[in-house]
Amino acid sequence: MTQTVPSRNPEAPTTPAATAPGHAAPASGHDTAAAARGLPAALKRRVPKYADLAPLMQFKKPEFSRAARLRRASTIWDLRDMAKRRTPQAPFDYTDGAAEAEISLRRARQAFLDIEFRPGVLRDVSSIDLSTDILGGPSRLPVGIAPTGFTRMMQSEGEYAGSQAAEAAGIPYTLSTMGTASLEDVAAAAPTGRNWFQLYLWTDRDRSLELIQRAAAAGNDTLMVTVDTAVAGARLRDVRNGMTIPPALTLKTVLDASHRPAWWFNFLTHEPLTFASLSRYTGTVADLINSMFDPTLTYADLDWLRETWKGKLVVKGIQTVDDARKVVDHGADGIVLSNHGGRQLDRAPIPFHLLPEVSAALKADHSDAAILLDTGIMSGADIIAALALGADFTLIGRAYLYGLMAGGRAGVDRALQILEKDMERTMALLGVSRVADLTPEHVRILRT
């Protein structure tokens, strides 16, 4: 007996009844009429002519240059894939990883996916303006480069590539206390850029004061103090990789280098990797943080900073509404909603989720403090969503480092180009032509 199995596709046509072998099914009147009318000329098969095929056969010469490779990257995720292929495991994982089970990082990225944009139509979006003012100065885009430590370990151009790309893009660049280029060298590399300095307060206040004075002398207009590193987070990828500064040559790293010779050639033929703002240090990242940074930091220290630093003061690592209000009361000109990219306390609050509440609280206090946001940003659409929900500005860390590892300065340029194009497209499709016109009405957070 023949059994007919129903289709899983509800739109599939009903299976015709079986007919006995050798007996054709009778033609319907519709089929006969269609045959009589004949097919349109466009639907009749014919042998293709060379003149028709020639325009279709345009084979391009393969391109293997760095520029060509970077042009093929359409997303930050594409740059991440390139970075992973070109960078040894330890420095790649240092960039890519987070603390403990990396729950905070996954949640931060998921937060940007769990939204719904609410576009307006019939708006003139022939010209998109992404420029904004942040902390008393202009930025051509509503995003800047966040402070990242050990940057020349990811790729030999390091902070020089980041600061010069930011200068060319007309956006701020933030140098980390744990950077591998000095304040003075970054200022010389990007003399017309808007350079900021990120400070970890040390137990040795005299050394902190020295860095603050150097930052002012080098022309930095903003000091960003990080307050979420009382102790080091448990970054397990680094522990498993035996991550040290500088990287140590072991059997594992030598084998890893055999697949990535360009990285090792650059690393070994440039100036040795050191912390430009610190004395020479050898050991694990966690040991450095735990031995140098101050677990006794309080609001009194923030008051000292406010008295000492005459430029704009931003506090990075804010994770509650209460702390946002308090640091502003103690003189901060801005806050960075950040859980350190998920690299400190796992299961920490997600900055994007915290954003609407903090924005509403500061508005209720009639505060004009700037709200910056980082953690989890991987596209221009993420940036636009953050701005719509109340951020004044955003910062990227991993997103630009993937570009750096993929192609040095050109890779950072490409990362910023991708984000800019994303932002322009998202704004146009939302029906918004200026950053200032974004409102919470343009985004809805989907509740799961």
Side-chain angles (χ1 to χ4, degrees):
M1 174 182 287
T2 303
Q3 184 178 10
T4 302
V5 180
S7 170
R8 294 179 182 271
N9 182 354
E11 297 182 1
T14 304
T15 303
T19 57
H23 292 79
S28 68
H30 175 77
D31 292 340
T32 304
R37 287 197 302 270
L39 291 172
L43 299 182
K44 292 181 180 179
R45 296 189 184 278
R46 63 185 179 85
V47 177
K49 299 177 181 179
Y50 175 77
D52 298 330
L53 294 175
L56 304 177
M57 297 187 296
Q58 298 181 1
F59 301 108
K60 294 183 178 180
K61 182 180 178 180
E63 294 183 280
F64 302 103
S65 67
R66 181 174 69 175
R69 184 178 68 250
L70 291 172
R71 281 197 301 271
R72 289 193 289 270
S74 299
T75 67
I76 299 299
W77 292 105
D78 291 341
L79 292 175
R80 179 186 179 277
D81 290 341
M82 293 180 187
K84 189 172 185 179
R85 290 194 297 268
R86 300 178 63 82
T87 311
Q89 183 176 349
F92 178 82
D93 279 353
Y94 176 78
T95 301
D96 194 61
E100 300 180 38
E102 304 189 355
I103 294 168
S104 288
L105 178 57
R106 289 196 299 275
R107 287 178 177 172
R109 286 178 172 162
Q110 188 64 40
F112 286 107
L113 301 181
D114 292 338
I115 65 166
E116 177 182 86
F117 281 121
R118 310 186 77 178
V121 298
L122 299 177
R123 272 75 162 178
D124 181 359
V125 289
S126 57
S127 177
I128 303 297
D129 183 6
L130 292 172
S131 65
T132 190
D133 288 326
I134 183 68
L135 296 167
S139 180
R140 196 178 67 84
L141 304 174
V143 60
I145 290 183
T148 57
F150 326 131
T151 312
R152 283 201 304 118
M153 180 180 64
M154 288 63 151
Q155 203 271 354
S156 57
E157 296 176 57
E159 289 87 357
Y160 302 101
S163 59
Q164 290 174 341
E167 178 185 45
I171 64 175
Y173 172 82
T174 315
L175 176 66
S176 171
T177 295
M178 301 182 76
T180 46
S182 71
L183 282 154
E184 293 79 12
D185 286 347
V186 167
T192 64
R194 190 173 179 200
N195 295 322
W196 298 349
F197 183 64
Q198 176 269 335
L199 177 71
Y200 288 111
L201 270 176
W202 304 351
T203 52
D204 185 343
R205 285 292 185 270
D206 288 339
R207 298 187 70 184
S208 294
L209 180 59
E210 178 189 352
L211 273 181
I212 293 169
Q213 292 170 340
R214 285 174 58 193
N220 291 260
D221 63 71
T222 296
L223 184 70
M224 184 181 295
V225 59
T226 297
V227 295
D228 58 3
T229 51
V231 297
R235 302 171 192 176
L236 299 183
R237 289 204 218 183
D238 297 345
V239 173
R240 291 166 184 146
N241 288 328
M243 172 73 174
T244 61
I245 303 297
L249 286 174
T250 64
L251 178 60
K252 181 179 179 180
T253 57
V254 170
L255 290 174
D256 194 30
S258 67
H259 303 290
R260 299 165 179 86
W263 185 94
W264 279 104
F265 177 76
N266 284 332
F267 178 76
L268 295 172
T269 57
H270 285 86
E271 180 180 314
L273 190 68
T274 59
F275 298 111
S277 297
L278 315 176
S279 59
R280 185 173 294 273
Y281 178 86
T282 300
T284 67
V285 177
D287 287 344
L288 172 61
I289 292 174
N290 287 333
S291 67
M292 189 183 77
F293 301 139
D294 190 354
T296 69
L297 193 64
T298 68
Y299 281 95
D301 298 288
L302 183 59
D303 293 336
W304 174 78
L305 266 181
R306 180 66 285 177
E307 293 174 3
T308 304
W309 177 257
K310 305 308 179 185
K312 297 293 185 180
L313 179 63
V314 176
V315 179
K316 180 177 181 289
I318 299 301
Q319 298 170 70
T320 69
V321 174
D322 188 47
D323 280 342
R325 282 176 149 156
K326 282 184 178 178
V327 298
V328 171
D329 288 343
H330 282 260
D333 298 297
I335 61 171
V336 183
L337 298 180
S338 170
N339 61 26
H340 215 103
R343 298 162 66 79
Q344 285 295 101
L345 175 66
D346 206 11
R347 301 181 180 86
I350 304 307
F352 186 69
H353 287 163
L354 189 62
L355 177 58
E357 193 176 356
V358 169
S359 177
L362 293 187
K363 285 180 180 177
D365 293 343
H366 304 289
S367 170
D368 59 357
I371 301 175
L372 292 77
L373 180 140
D374 72 12
T375 305
I377 293 172
M378 288 291 283
S379 74
D382 297 343
I383 293 170
I384 296 304
L387 297 172
L389 286 183
D392 297 299
F393 203 69
T394 59
L395 298 170
I396 52 169
R398 290 182 180 90
Y400 104 87
L401 290 175
Y402 292 140
L404 176 68
M405 291 185 286
R409 160 68 194 280
V412 182
D413 288 336
R414 183 59 183 152
L416 295 176
Q417 290 164 7
I418 288 170
L419 293 175
E420 181 174 4
K421 186 175 181 180
D422 284 352
M423 287 187 281
E424 288 178 341
R425 180 178 58 253
T426 303
M427 291 268 287
L429 292 175
L430 278 175
V432 178
S433 59
R434 299 186 311 151
V435 168
D437 294 335
L438 288 165
T439 73
E441 296 299 316
H442 290 108
V443 176
R444 183 167 71 96
I445 297 178
L446 301 178
R447 303 297 179 185
T448 58

